[in-house]
Amino acid sequence: MAPATTKKSIWSDLPRRIATICIGFPIVWKILSNEKLSFIFFVCVHGLVGWEFSFLEPKQEKPEELPTINSRLSFCIISLSVAMMSVDSLFHLVLCATVGVLTWLERRHWILGLVLITIPFRTWYSISQDFASTISILLVVWNCDSGALLVGRLASKSGIRRIPVPRWIHKISPAKSMEGFIGGLAGGTWTAVSWIPRLVSWFEIDTSETFDVLWSTSLSQRFALGLAMSVMAIFGDLVESSIKRQSQTKDSGSILPGHGGILDRFDSSLFAVLLYSFLIDMVESSSKD
């Protein structure tokens, strides 16, 4: 007679998640508060994310078509090198040339990586010099993730009638729920409205004029900013879920207990940071007029 199996609780990973946050966040906070260390931090994260992304290629039927270690390292080096181009015109030129070469080599996954990883992390390199903006973006997107996880799991066990998930989202990730999306939007928006101003005040964080304009005392403006960044965070998570599904992979890695890989932790920030950078450019251009 086969032994009875115990069904794993949906909260079984919660202790590991909490431990990772309690240990990791103070360390990350300390690193990001130093401009040089912050830049180095995002370079390292970029390299690790690129490495994990290289393992998420769609499954190949022929073993000989599988990427080698050298090819994976090549993608990481290319992504890091292109992102390091500080002059915009040079960056655009090198990026276009790289895409052209990769198209000729039929490296579609690498081209996708340039769009989803290289461009956002180049933006992170710039924003990382502003501690207030960096920690604000990360807190909004991470709390958006947490809100989606908690509300989604609670709703799955509540017994209430569930809100139907659009078919295209269900195909990408069957585990996603509309309740989770609502929880994510609420978590990220609440962070922008309530957490960010208090943290800046409590810890006496130096802020730039641009930061002050974006995170003004206007409640409606912080609400709109938090909501928009949360939407981008959810979109980033869906994009990574789609890539993982095509590669038949559950997590991008296992380096962070309870959270998965580095890409799993930063996927939500990749589109949010682009939106934030766009808003910074708008504020700065309007101030010059």
Side-chain angles (χ1 to χ4, degrees), residues 3-251:
T5 57
T6 303
K7 189 175 181 180
K8 185 182 291 186
S9 168
I10 60 171
W11 305 109
S12 60
D13 63 342
L14 193 59
R16 287 177 296 156
R17 283 180 172 271
I18 294 175
T20 301
I21 293 171
C22 291
I23 296 172
F25 187 73
I27 297 174
V28 171
W29 178 287
K30 187 66 176 178
I31 291 173
L32 296 180
S33 63
N34 181 286
E35 288 186 7
K36 291 182 180 179
L37 291 180
S38 182
F39 179 80
I40 294 172
F41 171 81
F42 279 103
V43 170
C44 293
V45 171
H46 182 180
L48 290 170
V49 165
W51 177 254
E52 291 180 351
F53 180 83
S54 70
F55 283 84
L56 299 179
E57 288 201 41
K59 290 296 182 182
Q60 304 290 340
E61 295 182 0
K62 300 178 182 179
E64 62 271 16
E65 294 181 355
L66 293 174
T68 63
I69 296 298
N70 287 338
S71 69
R72 297 185 198 281
L73 285 173
S74 297
F75 170 74
C76 294
I77 293 171
I78 290 172
S79 183
L80 285 164
S81 300
V82 174
M84 291 289 182
M85 303 289 175
S86 58
V87 180
D88 287 344
S89 57
L90 180 60
F91 167 72
H92 295 143
L93 178 64
V94 173
L95 180 65
C96 291
T98 305
V99 169
V101 172
L102 293 179
T103 302
W104 178 64
L105 295 174
E106 297 184 349
R107 292 282 189 175
R108 298 181 184 86
H109 189 67
W110 288 21
I111 296 173
L112 182 63
L114 289 177
V115 175
L116 298 181
I117 296 174
T118 308
I119 295 175
F121 270 101
R122 181 176 184 265
T123 306
W124 265 128
Y125 291 166
S126 174
I127 290 182
S128 67
Q129 303 309 291
D130 181 352
F131 176 56
S133 291
T134 301
I135 207 68
S136 297
I137 297 170
L138 291 178
L139 282 174
V140 169
V141 299
W142 285 347
N143 282 346
C144 175
D145 283 348
S146 299
L149 177 75
L150 292 173
V151 174
R153 290 186 178 183
L154 287 171
S156 69
K157 293 296 182 180
S158 65
I160 62 174
R161 185 176 179 180
R162 308 294 298 280
I163 303 173
V165 178
R167 185 175 299 178
W168 66 273
I169 294 179
H170 185 75
K171 286 183 178 180
I172 292 175
S173 180
K176 303 293 184 190
S177 69
M178 293 306 297
E179 292 83 3
F181 290 138
I182 294 171
L185 293 176
T189 305
W190 174 61
T191 301
V193 169
S194 182
W195 278 39
I196 302 304
R198 286 180 170 83
L199 285 174
V200 169
S201 175
W202 290 342
F203 291 95
E204 299 180 346
I205 299 173
D206 293 332
T207 59
S208 62
E209 291 183 10
T210 306
F211 181 91
D212 292 336
V213 171
L214 284 175
W215 300 92
S216 69
T217 54
S218 169
L219 183 67
S220 59
Q221 181 169 317
R222 292 203 304 275
F223 179 88
L225 179 59
L227 183 62
M229 289 174 62
S230 297
V231 170
M232 290 294 101
I234 291 172
F235 182 65
D237 180 68
L238 282 173
V239 169
E240 197 220 353
S241 294
S242 176
I243 295 171
K244 289 192 294 186
R245 189 165 184 81
Q246 291 181 25
S247 67
Q248 301 175 26
T249 306
K250 184 179 183 296
D251 294 318

Side-chain angles (χ1 to χ4, degrees), residues 258-286:
H259 294 266
I262 302 295
L263 178 55
D264 293 319
R265 191 88 312 265
F266 278 86
D267 58 354
S268 300
S269 74
L270 299 181
F271 289 101
V273 74
L274 293 177
L275 171 66
Y276 194 87
S277 177
F278 172 74
L279 294 175
I280 286 177
D281 291 341
M282 285 186 60
V283 171
E284 291 180 345
S285 62
S286 63

